[in-house]
Amino acid sequence: MDVIATFATLDDAESALDWIGVDFADGDDAFQGELSGDDRELLGAAIDDPETPGPVRELARALLARWDADGTPQLRFAVGWSR
C-alpha cells in the first residue's frame, strides 16, 4: 500500500486523520485505513472548511484525488510520519 502523505510526527499524522474524521488503525510505520461510502463527504467537508489547517486540507485533497484516480468504491490508504 502506498503512503498518501507523510507528516513530521506521528502526532501530526494522527491529528490530521482525526480532524478529517476517517477511521484508521496503527500499521507498520504508518496509519492505515480504508475509505468508502460517506468518507467522500468527510473529505469534502475538510477541504471546504475554512478552519481546516493547510496540511490537513492537503491530505484530504490527496486522498480524494487518489480515490478518484483509482475509480474504485473503496480506497485503502496509509499516512506516515518522519522518523
Side-chain angles (χ1 to χ4, degrees):
M1 173 179 335
D2 293 334
V3 174
I4 301 289
T6 302
F7 286 81
T9 68
L10 177 147
D11 288 341
D12 291 342
E14 185 174 25
S15 293
L17 289 166
D18 282 340
W19 182 288
I20 294 170
V22 295
D23 292 331
F24 61 94
D26 291 338
D28 295 331
D29 300 326
F31 294 114
Q32 299 178 357
E34 183 174 288
L35 301 175
S36 64
D38 293 340
D39 291 332
R40 189 172 290 279
E41 292 175 20
L42 294 174
L43 295 172
I47 292 167
D48 293 340
D49 184 346
E51 294 190 22
T52 300
V56 176
R57 183 175 288 111
E58 290 173 22
L59 173 59
R61 285 181 179 146
L63 287 166
L64 190 56
R66 175 66 63 87
W67 199 359
D68 287 344
D70 285 359
T72 57
Q74 293 89 20
L75 174 70
R76 291 182 62 222
F77 69 88
V79 174
W81 56 88
S82 299
R83 296 262 163 203

